[in-house]
Amino acid sequence: MLLLDCCMILQIATHLGDVDEVIKVFIIFATAFAVMGKYLYLKIYNYRFEQLFQMMHQPEYLPENPTEWQIYCQAIDLSRRVRNYYASLSVSALSALFLSQFLGDEQELPASIYYPFQLNTNWKYGLMYVYQCVSLAILCFVNVGFDSLTASFFINIKGQLDVLGMRLQTIGVGVRDQRRILKKLKDCIRNYQRILRMTHLMEELVRIPMSVQIGGSVFVLIANFYSMSMLSDNADMGIFAKLLLYQTCMLTQIFILCYFANEVSLKSSDISFNLYESNWYDWDKVNRKLVLLMMIRFDTPISIKSINRCYSFNLAAFTAIVNSSYSYFALLKRINS
């Protein structure tokens, strides 16, 4: 993948005056650069990811009854379905790139890169074609693996908050002993603090790779918009379908990261309502005061910050990314028209 990135950089450097060629390179290069950043980040901070996995399997984070286990299993199933859907879409887009020579020029390679020799013989073309297929396949699976892992982190946090909300709702049901209610309230406070610790660790691990990926995805969206707009009216539908499928894959990638981060924020903002739905009005003064303090604390929702701490990953960020990508595309189109 590193060699592929270097060849793309050389191709951009040798065609700086050709906007169409630079855009053609950026369709793959932006994603390849982001994936390389993710891979290096994983290698450097592998021990911290191991700490996060160990934390997720500690008894304090596991369900305590069949109802909680059901919520936990639903989160696992959702993670699996998101991974399978995203992987299927990515493999479909990758397959369309591999079939470039059948969709357009017979001597076209899946990606536009610099190569040190002319592709004037079948064996040279075959060598470059196999190299690109292997490199792009590795790039695709690393990308799917990291993004699916990140989405699973968010889904796990949301599942933990679902379990906490259910515990808060059922506090005091069938219990008259105020000391037992006080103990359950304190246990929920500790549980919330553990969830916050896990969320902060997870945020520190994924916010930089996610920010780099979204930055790269913006370039991909711009390049794809531009490439589709430059197709002639009688262009091969196969080329348009390839670009459209790749564009859909990039939009899905940004969406799943922003959507599940947004779900964490929404659920955390509902925790205070879950506590309000308990039988707090039957409790003594001490417990009611503690409930009030807890609701004030829960009133601040959990947000997954980006590399810029002033911004968070959510659906508003997704909308802003798509809007800005289209605005940059329109500006580029106007400049080169």
Side-chain angles (χ1 to χ4, degrees):
M1 288 192 299
L2 181 60
L3 180 59
L4 183 70
D5 289 347
C6 292
C7 291
M8 289 182 181
I9 293 174
L10 287 174
Q11 184 73 355
I12 293 173
T14 54
H15 294 80
L16 284 177
D18 188 350
V19 176
D20 292 341
E21 183 63 25
V22 172
I23 291 295
K24 189 177 179 181
V25 176
F26 257 99
I27 291 176
I28 304 297
F29 173 69
T31 300
F33 179 80
V35 171
M36 179 57 66
K38 293 177 186 177
Y39 176 76
L40 293 177
Y41 198 85
L42 280 169
K43 295 295 289 185
I44 294 172
Y45 293 101
N46 183 60
Y47 69 98
R48 296 194 64 188
F49 279 95
E50 184 178 2
Q51 290 176 355
L52 179 58
F53 294 144
Q54 291 175 352
M55 180 184 295
M56 293 170 63
H57 289 84
Q58 290 177 356
E60 295 83 1
Y61 292 97
L62 296 179
E64 297 179 350
N65 56 59
T67 305
E68 293 181 2
W69 272 108
Q70 184 179 5
I71 297 174
Y72 191 75
C73 291
Q74 287 175 352
I76 294 174
D77 183 64
L78 178 58
S79 299
R80 186 180 298 111
R81 286 188 282 114
V82 169
R83 179 203 62 195
N84 293 342
Y85 171 77
Y86 179 50
S88 300
L89 185 60
S90 298
V91 171
S92 298
L94 180 66
S95 301
L97 286 176
F98 288 168
L99 298 176
S100 297
Q101 75 276 21
F102 299 109
L103 300 176
D105 186 1
E106 293 184 356
Q107 290 299 313
E108 183 181 2
L109 289 169
S112 179
I113 67 172
Y114 174 83
Y115 39 88
F117 48 79
Q118 296 293 327
L119 303 180
N120 51 8
T121 58
N122 290 334
W123 73 267
K124 291 181 180 179
Y125 173 82
L127 178 64
M128 292 301 300
Y129 181 81
V130 171
Y131 164 70
Q132 286 199 14
C133 288
V134 173
S135 301
L136 292 175
I138 295 173
L139 183 150
C140 175
F141 291 122
V142 172
N143 199 41
V144 170
F146 185 88
D147 293 339
S148 300
L149 179 65
T150 303
S152 297
F153 285 158
F154 297 152
I155 293 171
N156 180 273
I157 295 297
K158 201 263 184 181
Q160 295 280 350
L161 292 171
D162 286 332
V163 171
L164 175 60
M166 190 190 68
R167 290 178 182 176
L168 291 171
Q169 281 181 318
T170 57
I171 288 179
V173 176
V175 178
R176 306 297 298 179
D177 188 349
Q178 297 300 313
R179 288 178 297 180
R180 289 182 59 186
I181 294 175
L182 178 61
K183 181 179 181 302
K184 289 187 177 182
L185 286 172
K186 291 182 177 180
D187 288 341
C188 288
I189 294 173
R190 297 188 189 98
N191 189 16
Y192 185 74
Q193 291 300 120
R194 287 194 294 265
I195 293 174
L196 285 180
R197 284 198 297 270
M198 179 190 290
T199 304
H200 291 157
L201 176 57
M202 178 268 297
E203 179 187 82
E204 288 299 316
L205 290 176
V206 303
R207 66 186 182 92
I208 294 178
M210 280 180 61
S211 300
V212 172
Q213 174 60 64
I214 289 179
S217 297
V218 169
F219 285 105
V220 174
L221 294 177
I222 296 171
N224 266 322
F225 278 134
Y226 185 84
S227 298
M228 288 189 288
S229 68
M230 296 303 293
L231 293 176
S232 59
D233 295 337
N234 57 352
D236 190 346
M237 287 299 297
I239 299 177
F240 179 79
K242 177 185 70 173
L243 294 173
L244 181 61
L245 186 60
Y246 189 54
Q247 188 82 325
T248 303
C249 183
M250 290 296 102
L251 288 171
T252 302
Q253 179 184 45
I254 303 172
F255 179 77
I256 61 175
L257 296 176
C258 293
Y259 175 79
F260 289 111
N262 188 75
E263 286 292 293
V264 172
S265 298
L266 289 179
K267 182 57 189 177
S268 64
S269 64
D270 289 341
I271 292 296
S272 59
F273 294 100
N274 296 139
L275 180 56
Y276 182 77
E277 292 174 347
S278 65
N279 297 331
W280 57 269
Y281 43 82
D282 290 333
W283 302 344
D284 60 18
K285 187 176 181 180
V286 174
N287 287 337
R288 289 201 301 270
K289 283 185 177 180
L290 182 58
V291 167
L292 179 60
L293 293 174
M294 291 173 66
M295 293 183 68
I296 294 174
R297 177 63 183 89
F298 294 154
D299 196 49
T300 303
I302 299 173
S303 58
I304 309 299
K305 301 294 185 181
S306 66
I307 194 172
N308 184 346
R309 305 293 294 184
C310 297
Y311 298 96
S312 302
F313 296 107
N314 48 41
L315 290 180
F318 172 77
T319 304
I321 290 167
V322 176
N323 288 338
S324 61
S325 299
Y326 187 81
S327 299
Y328 291 139
F329 150 71
L331 178 62
L332 180 65
K333 181 73 173 176
R334 178 176 297 180
I335 292 175
N336 291 279
S337 60

